[in-house]
Amino acid sequence: NAGVTQTPKFQVLKTGQSMTLQCAQDMNHNSMYWYRQDPGMGLRLIYYSASEGTTDKGEVPNGYNVSRLNKREFSLRLESAAPSQTSVYFCASSQTQMNTEAFFGQGTRLTVV
Amino acid sequence: DAKTTQPPSMDCAEGRAANLPCNHSTISGNEYVYWYRQIHSQGPQYIIHGLKNNETNEMASLIITEDRKSSTLILPHATLRDTAVYYCIADYGGATNKLIFGTGTLLAVQP
């Protein structure tokens, strides 16, 4: 059981380049999330999707776009990368019902130079 | 979502119980208390959650005060592998689950 899979695991971008971080889950979960974690900090919610076809802003959405492609996949796009977006990005998923826990991927380490 | 407050760091001797406190004085009646941990730079891992009653699983116990304004996560016999950042989150869960993380408590288990 793969759980939550993120690709790529590492990426280096130049300022102004664009890229898409991919996330897929195989647990038939309705809700999916994208977080960023800066060094020595906690996780901050970028965007989340409560169900297929819906997305909502989290705490730090500026500079990012998301797509809930289908129930399995939730992608995060950086249109014009900036050094301030250097971070570790985590994807997570959970079931819709209350009283359930979330499962996290292993992260994508992004460096913008 | 209710805000939670945790101490930034704690130490615990290996083999002893680790008691991690969390304050959530503004928690609403339908919000659960969730605990996650993050070992090194890995993705966070779910530990336990509860609403009103104390809960126990194979990893830990969760003690929630009667007024639900605070809780304690107990690792009964801490090992070096329990060294991690522990996050306490108050959330409804499910469709309204935004799962907002705070800064957590860095637990250092000492040999």
Side-chain angles (χ1 to χ4, degrees):
Chain A
N1 190 348
V4 179
T5 303
Q6 293 183 234
T7 54
K9 288 184 170 54
F10 301 93
Q11 183 71 49
V12 178
L13 287 179
K14 293 182 179 179
T15 298
Q17 286 186 318
S18 62
M19 80 160 294
T20 299
L21 281 63
Q22 306 287 353
C23 175
Q25 51 92 9
D26 61 3
M27 295 171 283
N28 201 35
H29 286 167
N30 289 311
S31 298
M32 297 186 74
Y33 316 83
W34 274 107
Y35 295 87
R36 62 176 288 173
Q37 185 173 35
D38 300 328
M41 306 281 286
L43 283 80
R44 291 185 291 171
L45 182 65
I46 305 172
Y47 272 93
Y48 67 105
S49 170
S51 62
E52 184 180 352
T54 68
T55 60
D56 287 287
K57 295 179 180 179
E59 302 172 279
V60 288
N62 291 344
Y64 304 95
N65 287 303
V66 290
S67 296
R68 184 73 183 268
L69 304 170
N70 47 55
K71 192 172 186 179
R72 289 187 65 249
E73 298 172 291
F74 189 37
S75 63
L76 178 71
R77 182 160 178 84
L78 288 70
E79 291 290 353
S80 180
S84 60
Q85 294 178 305
T86 294
S87 191
V88 179
Y89 292 84
F90 290 101
C91 177
S93 71
S94 68
Q95 198 46 283
T96 303
Q97 293 88 341
M98 295 179 66
N99 193 20
T100 60
E101 71 268 28
F103 296 81
F104 285 79
Q106 287 307 300
T108 294
R109 284 153 180 77
L110 175 67
T111 301
V112 183
V113 298
Chain B
D1 298 335
K3 181 178 172 59
T4 60
T5 304
Q6 300 176 252
S9 64
M10 294 182 63
D11 288 342
C12 177
E14 188 176 20
R16 303 297 294 269
N19 296 280
L20 292 91
C22 180
N23 181 286
H24 32 79
S25 58
T26 61
I27 195 169
S28 69
N30 294 329
E31 285 184 300
Y32 290 81
V33 178
Y34 287 84
W35 284 84
Y36 288 80
R37 73 179 182 183
Q38 186 175 26
I39 297 174
H40 193 42
S41 298
Q42 298 176 19
Q45 174 192 25
Y46 166 80
I47 301 173
I48 197 168
H49 73 285
L51 184 62
K52 297 180 182 178
N53 301 320
N54 299 336
E55 302 287 345
T56 295
N57 62 20
E58 64 279 5
M59 290 182 66
S61 295
L62 173 61
I63 308 298
I64 303 174
T65 58
E66 191 169 345
D67 63 7
R68 302 207 330 119
K69 292 185 177 182
S70 65
S71 61
T72 301
L73 178 75
I74 301 172
L75 308 178
H77 304 287
T79 70
L80 298 178
R81 288 177 293 180
D82 291 322
T83 292
V85 178
Y86 288 77
Y87 296 98
C88 168
I89 301 168
D91 201 280
Y92 295 100
T96 58
N97 184 1
K98 285 188 182 181
L99 205 58
I100 302 294
F101 282 73
T103 53
T105 296
L106 173 59
L107 175 68
V109 180
Q110 309 290 344

